[in-house]
Amino acid sequence: MLLHPKRVHRATLVTVNNFQGRDLFPMLGESSRCPGTAAEHVCVFSTEKMPKKSKTPSVKRRIADQEQPAVKRSKEEQSDTSPLCFQSPATLFESLIQPMGTDRFFSEYWEKKPLHLQRSDPGTASYYQSLFQLCDLQSLCSQGLEYYRDINVVRCVNGKKKLLNKEGRVKHSVLNKIMSQNKATVQYHQPQRFKDELWRIQEKLECFFGALVGSNIYITPEESQGLPPHYDDVEVFILQLQGQKHWRLYNPTVPLAAEYSVQSEDSIGIPTHDIILKAGDLLYFPRGTIHQARTPAGVNCSIHLTLSTYQRMSWGDLLLDVFPSLLCGRSRREVSLREGMARRLLLSSSAGLHTNQRLAASLRALADEMETGAQDLGFTHMKRDFIMNRLPPYCQQQLSSPSGKSPGLEDTVILTFKDHVVITVEPRPQSTDDATELVVFVLHSLKNQREGHMMGDSCDDQEERSISTGLQFPLSYLQALRQLQLAEQLVVAQLQLPTQEDKLNLALALWSENLLRVL
């Protein structure tokens, strides 16, 4: 259930200093619980609605952000049958896990224990089924799906995964034959690339979590199992779309695991949770939870959607990101960190007590500096990875050119798509000066390609995508950018910049990237 392969990104950004309008080019069911378990099952009997890499064919974007002008909604979007509320990222998640409250979910279940939500509401079951059906697979095969990249065909045989893929493009007739003859599971990778409603859901969830959200569809025939017992390195939300699936969960051997691992049947013990998921049900379990699932007898086919998030989003990952820049900054200010280490230390068999004590003292001083807030935490790599790889806004029109009136000094403006923008302070790229010059980067995901979401990129693809991800400003623009981030609305002339020209330059630069709108 891997979200994405490890990536390294490089970005080329346009410097915005004396911006002159057009001269700026953007760069850029039923369930049973084993005795003594902590599983909780919430049943819903009310039908009351919640408040309201490849290069593939391009897909039109639909707008969902409140701060953007209203657009015509499709019949599907206008339907009152959806149990999900897309008003904001928070309401979307709340409606996804209803009737469980968000606060209770995060205090009692998130990263702690599984949760099974049973739904008897036929509206929820019908909506879940609409997210992906067998007929969708047939139509998608005509769009150039390929084995391995887009589709895996698998079956669990004697506790091991047997891969039944062919080579090249997927033909629906051949795929259907493999499934029926081998009782195999079809694993469809990242369907949000082609299914609009999944794009809509996952884009909002990425805003809610502030983390990438991937998905897979699993189609498993009767009395068959696709994958052996294993655990994942992601938080998992299972939505049962059609049929039923028998899930068995086991205690983690590695709580909150940071990597995927297959487990042998004889090493995992007895299930802590034994659950039958029915259409409309939701199952959550934390990363590291050992699990296996099988379509029971009497059920022709099971289809479920797996939503996965929080891969490499731990405090340890954050420390790995921020520590190098923190240490670099303190080394520039603290002469003791620039003193040479002991002679022949690299030839020693161990560091020795004195070395350990000196390094520990330096780390304590660095920790004290962090705690007092004397130095900003610059977790730029994680920010860049998220913003460059997340879904673009759910939109109907293309966002390649600015819309609406261009801003003037007297205009009241608003920063749009705030959840799709990050601001970082970093050394200027390719600086030739001896002294490191810091600049401000405004990175955004408006021009990200939905068709490549969570699919990983080659170096060439990374370079190609890096031409359209944001802007670069002088460090003096930082306070004004933070003003725009925090304010509901703001007059351009009130921006905290020294000259009127700087204020207009900033507003026009953001407007040119569709990041700012005149009210």
Side-chain angles (χ1 to χ4, degrees), residues 59-77:
V59 182
K60 291 183 180 179
R61 304 178 183 177
R62 282 193 200 87
I63 234 169
D65 299 68
Q66 284 183 296
E67 57 202 8
Q68 293 300 310
V71 298
K72 186 177 180 180
R73 301 176 69 197
S74 66
K75 290 182 180 179
E76 181 179 310
E77 290 178 275

Side-chain angles (χ1 to χ4, degrees), residues 103 107 122 188 198 218 223 301 384 435 516:
D103 290 342
S107 64
Y188 175 30
L198 293 179
Y218 293 86
E223 292 190 287
C301 175
R384 279 183 176 270
L516 184 134

Side-chain angles (χ1 to χ4, degrees), residues 54-217:
S54 19
K55 296 180 176 65
T56 48
S58 62
V59 182
K60 291 183 180 179
R61 304 178 183 177
R62 282 193 200 87
I63 234 169
D65 299 68
Q66 284 183 296
E67 57 202 8
Q68 293 300 310
V71 298
K72 186 177 180 180
R73 301 176 69 197
S74 66
K75 290 182 180 179
E76 181 179 310
E77 290 178 275
Q78 292 171 348
S79 171
D80 291 330
T81 61
S82 172
L84 301 183
C85 177
F86 292 90
Q87 182 179 351
S88 69
T91 60
L92 184 278
F93 184 76
E94 180 183 12
S95 61
L96 182 68
I97 64 167
Q98 59 86 18
M100 175 68 61
T102 301
D103 290 342
R104 184 184 174 194
F105 172 78
F106 281 101
S107 64
E108 296 183 23
Y109 297 95
W110 177 256
E111 296 189 329
K112 298 179 181 70
K113 60 183 180 181
L115 171 66
H116 175 205
L117 296 173
Q118 295 174 272
R119 272 80 175 255
S120 63
D121 177 7
T124 299
S126 177
Y127 176 75
Y128 276 21
Q129 185 176 15
S130 73
L131 296 176
F132 195 93
Q133 303 176 59
L134 281 175
C135 59
D136 293 324
L137 190 61
Q138 182 173 358
S139 62
L140 288 168
C141 284
S142 66
Q143 297 190 33
L145 301 185
E146 294 186 6
Y147 289 102
Y148 298 99
R149 185 195 68 189
D150 303 301
I151 294 284
N152 272 337
V153 187
V154 296
R155 186 177 180 188
C156 178
V157 178
N158 298 324
K160 296 182 179 180
K161 182 175 77 171
K162 182 179 181 181
L163 195 60
L164 301 169
N165 285 355
K166 300 294 184 181
E167 294 294 332
R169 290 199 170 187
V170 180
K171 293 182 178 180
H172 183 259
S173 58
V174 176
L175 182 63
N176 212 32
K177 186 177 180 180
I178 299 173
M179 288 176 61
S180 59
Q181 289 183 348
N182 297 276
K183 300 189 74 173
T185 291
V186 171
Q187 180 188 40
Y188 175 30
H189 303 146
Q190 311 304 337
Q192 73 278 6
R193 295 175 292 144
F194 305 101
K195 296 290 290 180
D196 285 358
E197 192 70 358
L198 293 179
W199 173 18
R200 187 186 183 200
I201 291 170
Q202 288 175 237
E203 184 263 335
K204 273 287 188 284
L205 287 177
E206 287 187 333
C207 293
F208 177 77
F209 286 109
L212 296 174
V213 177
S215 68
N216 285 320
I217 291 286

Side-chain angles (χ1 to χ4, degrees), residues 278-350:
K278 294 184 176 181
D281 286 1
L282 181 144
L283 174 64
Y284 159 80
F285 51 84
R287 57 193 185 277
T289 302
I290 302 170
H291 57 278
Q292 58 180 324
R294 181 180 182 87
T295 303
V299 177
N300 182 52
C301 175
S302 166
I303 304 178
H304 78 261
L305 168 70
T306 296
L307 296 171
S308 310
T309 191
Y310 255 61
Q311 186 180 53
R312 297 196 294 273
M313 288 288 290
S314 69
W315 289 111
D317 294 308
L318 183 61
L319 270 175
L320 287 171
D321 191 5
V322 305
F323 189 77
S325 62
L326 282 174
L327 187 57
C328 255
R330 183 160 178 83
S331 293
R332 285 194 294 267
R333 299 186 303 275
E334 181 57 55
V335 67
S336 65
L337 287 174
R338 302 197 300 272
E339 293 174 354
M341 58 187 179
R343 289 178 295 106
R344 298 181 58 81
L345 181 60
L346 301 182
L347 298 175
S348 303
S349 58
S350 63

